[in-house]
Every structure is written in structure tokens, then in C-alpha cells.
Amino acid sequence: MYKNEKLNELAKAVAAKRAENASLEPRRMTAEEKENLLATFHPDYKQDEFTVLTAGVNKGEKVPTQLAELLQGHSRITADDVDLSHPDYDTDVLVIGGGGAGASAAIEADEAGVKAMIVTKLRIGDANTMMAEGGIQAADKPNDSPAIHYIDAFGGGHFAAKPALLEKLVTKAPEAILWLNKLGVEFDKEADGTMVTTHGGGTSRKRMHAAKDYSGAEIMRTLRDEVLNRGIPVIDFTAAVEIILDENGKAAGAVLMNMETKELLVARAKTVVIATGGAGRLHYQGFPTSNHYGATADGLVLGYRVGAKLLYADTLQYHPTGAAYPEQIFGALVTEKVRSLGAKLINIDGDAFMHPLETRDVTAASIIRECSERGKGIETEQGAAVWLDTPMIEYKNGEGTIEKRIPAMMRMFGKYGIDIRKEPILVYPTLHYQNGGLDITPDGMTDVENLYAAGEVVGGIHGRNRLMGNSLLDVIVFGRNAGIHAAAKAKECDVPQKLTLDHISKFDSQLSEAGIETETASPMLLPKYARKSK
Ligand code: MEZ
């Protein structure tokens, strides 16, 4: 039951039309309808929320205003703050970030026989990988193929993905599932061992492999165990604050900062992998976020300051279904799997106003339109929202489906007295994913030699919109890929001798030349509302 009586009343309209809505198949939008909808209602199209960069390698391109402030900020340190001639750590491959991509990279580097080390500003596993719910895509069923997976993802990303990256993503996907399965991920399976697969928005085949609705947590648990079992060193509560270069401009390590004591340390490495994840905690355009506490765009800043280009940094993903009620879980992810299992999006009149499995950008824009221009949203303390008719899942698939397939959702709402088997829930878009990021080659290298990137910090794999389940996939495929190539490169390199942080003053000069006066120090490391240490 909702504590709010008005909501209980309104939910009755949803129940009254459930049978009718369940038998209805709202039509898919035409390409033209989608274009118009996005241009008018998707947050990426609000020009006044973006700033054109005037310094750095992406000068002339627009990025969200909060990101521009960080990219065009000053370093947290000066070159004189550290002694580069006496490194505190020496390794072959330095992995920055303890999420799924960082862990996968470190495992593969270790497998290749080089020394790998992970540094992470929180703890290993405190990452968006852990927060992913609905599943991971791979075309491994007889009616599917990587080519069909490619077509779905390329279209869903508005034909903007870098073909070589997307090709790698889809062709390596079946192998990624086998790798995870072998490491011990408990995927949902039929009695005969066949993997259970479902649809996601924009997929033409059922290729979403899941561990109920905590797929990311299950994958991260397994990867973390593997890292620890291999004895790969993990330096936690330690952030990278600057990339170190050698005299030839190649990446050669990072300056680290102990998050508690603020002590600065030097890590020297032959190659470096940035795997710092996303940016939801910048709360672009005031949106809540489904992201973990540390998602503050650090890797974009680290890379940008040493000259690594960004691709599509102006495109973000607003997951259509963030929890809109109650306020304690405002913005938390309500997995797309809820819609894959048959729940529909319903407005205040009880009408299913769109096909529930359009791509995410289209679905989010459609919900925003329903709540704004059409005035068909349901008012809550946090603003307008629409219903997601969860009881429809059991109406269509039988009793017990919700507990079996999406137990985490049932528990999350159950804590607040809402039984999602009996009552619909309220949802509104939440900031979920950065589609853009560091530009990489198919080997995972950025524009800076020996500097690799993997996971959400990368741009170009998905184009300008990502399909559900392709992020967990890219974390694994491109995490492993970066580890393999960074290890191979490290084997060819000598230990870097002359380490420099000259890029800091060079970047400051660029800021001055552009007339940028700012007090901002970046990377940000923790959200603005983090409690300040005494
Ligand atoms: O890929 C994602 O973002 C994902 C699986 C999210 C979800 O809805 O569960």
C-alpha cells in the first residue's frame, strides 16, 4: 500500500485497465516520430545545459556544463608536490579503477604474466558494475548472431558507434559469457543448463543473460574474488589525481592520493589503464542518478589533461525508469528487465502510452513528454512520474514470476510497504550512463601512447545511445582487451626513467590563453555533497 492515499486511489485506475492494457501492443514509433520526440524532450538536446570547450584537445566541442568545469579545471597538485625520482610503487600495468573493467583488465594482465596493480579511490567493487541489474547481452543462441547483435546496437546508437569497436563488442560477447561462467558467475539457467535469455529495449532477439536482477553484483562478486585469489595488489581508498608521462609523452604511471590522509604517492608503470567509470554523481541538469557514489568523471579529466581526446562527451543516457517514489529511493534503478518481463508504462488515465521496449533515449523522452507537454503524469513530492505496471508481469506470466526473476526490485519497494506484485510503481528518468568518453583504438589505447581505457570511461563503442546489457558486456570485453594489450605493450617497454608532470603547467597555460579563470580543482573524486573530512 502507498502511504499516500491519493496514490492508492490513482493506482486503482491502473488495475482497472490492466486486462485491456495487457492484451494491447502499443505500436512502435516511426523514425521521424522518434527524431522529433528526442529533439524536443531528450535532455541531450537542451543546448543551454552545454558549454563549448575553449581549452584542451576537444576545444570547440560542447560537453555538459558541469563536465566542462572539471575538464577546464586546475590540477589538484603541482609538479613540485611529489618526488618523481623515488616511486612508492613500481608495476608493469597500473589499473586505475576497481570496477568490472578494471578488475577484468588486471586479471588478463596477470594472466599474461606481467605485474598488475589496481588503485581505487573507494573499495574494489564500489562501481557502476555492481549497480547493474538486468543483464548482459551476447548473441549465443541458435536464432541469433553477432551480426544481428551489431545491427541492433548500431541502429540503437543512431549509427554513430565506431564500427571496429562495436564489431569487437559483439563478436567477443559469447566468449565473455563463457569466461564469466567459468569464473563462477551464477547465470539464470534452465534445468538442462541452457542460459535463460530475455529481450531488452531495441533488441531483435532474446540475448540478455542475467543473474536474476542483480547481474552486475554477481559479476562483480566473481571478478573481485578472482582478483583477490590471484593475489593482484589492490590499493584501496587511493585515488589517481594525475597521469604521469615520460620524456617522450608516453604514460608512465600516476600520482595517487590517499583519500583519508591526503598523502601523495607516486606509482610508476610501463602502461596505465584508466577504468574509472561514469559521471552520474555530477547530476547533469539536476537529474537524480542510478550511479554509485564515486561516479564523478575522474577518468575523463585525467585523460583530457594529458591530451587524450574525448568522443561524444555530449551524450548521456537517462534510464527511463528510475524510482520516483518514495523519496528514499528517488533515482534508484528500476531495471529494464521489469519491462522485458511484460510491465507497461501507464499514464494517469490508466493508458499504456507507448511501446515499453523502445530504445532508452526514446522511452525516457516519451516519459518526459507525458509528464510535461501532455500533462498526463502523476504528481509526487519529487515531481511528476508515470506508472510502471509491475502486477502485469504476474498477470501475464503467472504467480511467483516476480519473486523468481526480479527479487531485488521486490525487496527494494517492499521495504517501503509497496508490494510490486500487487501495486504499480512510479518511475521517471534517472541519469544512468555516459555514452561518450575517451576515444580508443580497437586495442584499447587512447591518443596518448601507453595510456589505455576501458569500461564506461570510453566513448564510441555504443554511439550516441546504448542498449541495455551492452555496458556489462563492454566492461568485460574491453576490460579484458585493455588488460591483454596493456600487458603485451608493457612487455616491449623498459621501465620509464624520466617521469614528468610538465603537462600540468602546459594545461594551465592553455587555460590562461583561453581566458579561463577558475577555482575548480579536478578530478572531483567525490560528489559535491560528500561530507568534508575534518
Ligand atoms: O545495461 C544496463 O544499463 C542495465 C542492464 C540496466 C538495467 O536496466 O537493468
Side-chain angles (χ1 to χ4, degrees):
M1 287 283 282
Y2 281 86
K3 291 212 174 90
N4 177 324
E5 255 326 297
K6 177 119 190 279
L7 293 180
N8 281 325
E9 272 311 303
L10 290 171
K12 286 184 190 154
V14 185
K17 287 201 184 168
R18 183 160 300 132
E20 187 189 329
N21 282 330
S23 60
L24 260 175
E25 182 73 353
R27 71 168 179 84
R28 298 269 184 179
M29 286 176 221
T30 64
E32 201 185 346
E33 281 169 337
K34 287 184 199 175
E35 264 168 44
N36 291 336
L37 175 72
L38 291 173
T40 319
F41 295 100
H42 195 279
D44 277 359
Y45 292 75
K46 281 195 166 178
Q47 295 310 325
D48 54 353
E49 296 283 352
F50 292 83
T51 295
V52 174
L53 295 169
T54 49
V57 277
N58 284 80
K59 196 169 155 174
E61 291 177 27
K62 73 178 169 81
V63 300
T65 296
Q66 296 92 326
L67 178 62
E69 190 187 324
L70 296 174
L71 292 174
Q72 299 187 147
H74 295 290
S75 176
R76 290 174 157 265
I77 60 168
T78 70
D80 296 334
D81 291 340
V82 285
D83 179 1
L84 295 173
S85 60
H86 292 95
D88 300 277
Y89 299 102
D90 242 316
T91 191
D92 293 321
V93 178
L94 173 67
V95 177
I96 303 171
S104 300
I107 292 167
E108 287 297 352
D110 183 69
E111 184 66 21
V114 303
K115 268 200 299 182
M117 173 177 128
I118 296 177
V119 294
T120 172
K121 66 182 176 182
L122 297 171
R123 301 160 304 178
I124 182 165
D126 288 336
N128 280 348
T129 300
M130 190 67 104
M131 317 286 283
E133 294 173 352
I136 169 167
Q137 285 204 44
D140 56 4
K141 291 279 169 86
N143 70 339
D144 202 0
S145 71
I148 302 176
H149 188 176
Y150 185 103
I151 291 167
D152 287 349
F154 199 52
H158 299 280
F159 309 98
K162 282 176 87 171
L165 298 186
L166 184 54
E167 184 186 338
K168 187 162 248 174
L169 182 81
V170 298
T171 52
K172 296 279 179 193
E175 186 191 319
I177 298 292
L178 294 178
W179 186 70
L180 290 172
N181 193 47
K182 202 164 148 206
L183 288 181
V185 171
E186 302 259 7
F187 284 112
D188 297 341
K189 291 178 184 158
E190 306 287 3
D192 67 357
T194 316
M195 299 243 183
V196 176
T197 50
T198 49
H199 272 299
T203 63
S204 61
R205 299 289 187 277
K206 290 183 179 178
R207 69 171 78 91
M208 203 71 56
H209 301 62
K212 302 197 184 291
D213 55 349
Y214 38 77
S215 311
E218 172 59 9
I219 288 173
M220 194 66 239
R221 173 194 72 76
T222 309
L223 294 174
R224 179 170 53 193
D225 281 355
E226 183 66 14
V227 166
L228 300 179
N229 287 341
R230 285 172 176 261
I232 297 170
V234 179
I235 319 295
D236 56 15
F237 295 113
T238 301
V241 293
E242 277 305 328
I243 299 296
I244 298 170
L245 301 178
D246 72 4
E247 73 270 37
N248 299 313
K250 298 180 188 176
V255 178
L256 312 178
M257 186 184 82
N258 180 308
M259 293 292 281
E260 217 173 316
T261 62
K262 308 289 181 270
E263 182 191 8
L264 295 175
L265 300 156
V266 171
R268 176 167 63 180
K270 294 177 180 170
T271 57
V272 178
V273 180
I274 297 181
T276 51
R281 293 283 166 168
L282 299 190
H283 296 285
Y284 297 135
Q285 304 191 31
F287 273 82
T289 186
S290 58
N291 283 189
H292 86 111
Y293 192 64
T296 50
D298 303 344
L300 303 186
V301 173
L302 292 174
Y304 196 66
R305 204 171 280 142
V306 289
K309 272 210 191 84
L310 305 175
L311 184 64
Y312 306 145
D314 60 332
T315 155
L316 283 306
Q317 179 162 89
Y318 297 82
H319 193 293
T321 58
Y325 185 93
E327 71 170 319
Q328 292 92 326
I329 52 169
F330 185 53
L333 181 62
V334 173
T335 176
E336 192 163 318
K337 190 168 176 183
V338 174
R339 282 173 285 135
S340 311
L341 291 172
K344 287 189 178 146
L345 292 159
I346 310 286
N347 65 20
I348 194 165
D349 299 333
D351 295 330
F353 59 89
M354 65 170 300
H355 191 289
L357 288 177
E358 294 281 11
T359 53
R360 282 189 178 164
D361 51 355
V362 170
T363 311
S366 182
I367 294 172
I368 293 171
R369 175 176 65 185
E370 205 66 15
C371 292
S372 54
E373 187 190 64
R374 290 189 174 166
K376 300 273 185 190
I378 296 97
E379 280 308 323
T380 76
E381 289 95 9
Q382 293 5 285
V386 297
W387 294 111
L388 181 58
D389 191 10
T390 44
M392 193 181 278
I393 295 175
E394 302 216 333
Y395 180 87
K396 285 178 169 173
N397 305 289
E399 236 174 77
T401 309
I402 288 187
E403 190 162 13
K404 184 165 177 221
R405 306 290 298 276
I406 47 170
M409 288 297 98
M410 193 172 128
R411 203 167 44 243
M412 180 163 85
F413 284 92
K415 273 196 208 161
Y416 303 100
I418 299 165
D419 184 345
I420 70 170
R421 294 169 301 184
K422 302 199 174 85
E423 291 143 338
I425 56 177
L426 286 162
V427 293
Y428 192 78
T430 185
L431 181 54
H432 184 60
Y433 186 77
Q434 69 188 2
N435 297 316
L438 294 166
D439 194 8
I440 57 165
T441 64
D443 286 353
M445 209 198 283
T446 67
D447 288 331
V448 176
E449 201 164 342
N450 294 355
L451 182 63
Y452 294 78
E456 193 173 339
V457 77
V458 168
I461 299 171
H462 310 284
R464 300 187 77 87
N465 176 59
R466 175 181 66 78
L467 301 189
M468 170 192 185
N470 274 351
S471 173
L472 278 178
L473 178 60
D474 106 39
V475 153
I476 303 301
V477 168
F478 284 92
R480 297 181 72 195
N481 183 59
I484 291 166
H485 290 286
K489 193 76 196 301
K491 285 182 184 169
E492 292 168 10
C493 296
D494 294 327
V495 176
Q497 291 305 320
K498 191 165 179 310
L499 306 188
T500 89
L501 285 169
D502 290 352
H503 69 273
I504 296 178
S505 54
K506 284 186 192 149
F507 195 78
D508 276 343
S509 304
Q510 288 193 50
L511 295 181
S512 304
E513 275 161 33
I516 297 169
E517 285 176 21
T518 175
E519 301 274 289
T520 300
S522 56
M524 189 175 179
L525 307 182
L526 293 176
K528 279 204 168 135
Y529 42 81
R531 204 179 295 156
K532 298 279 176 277
S533 55
K534 296 199 178 110

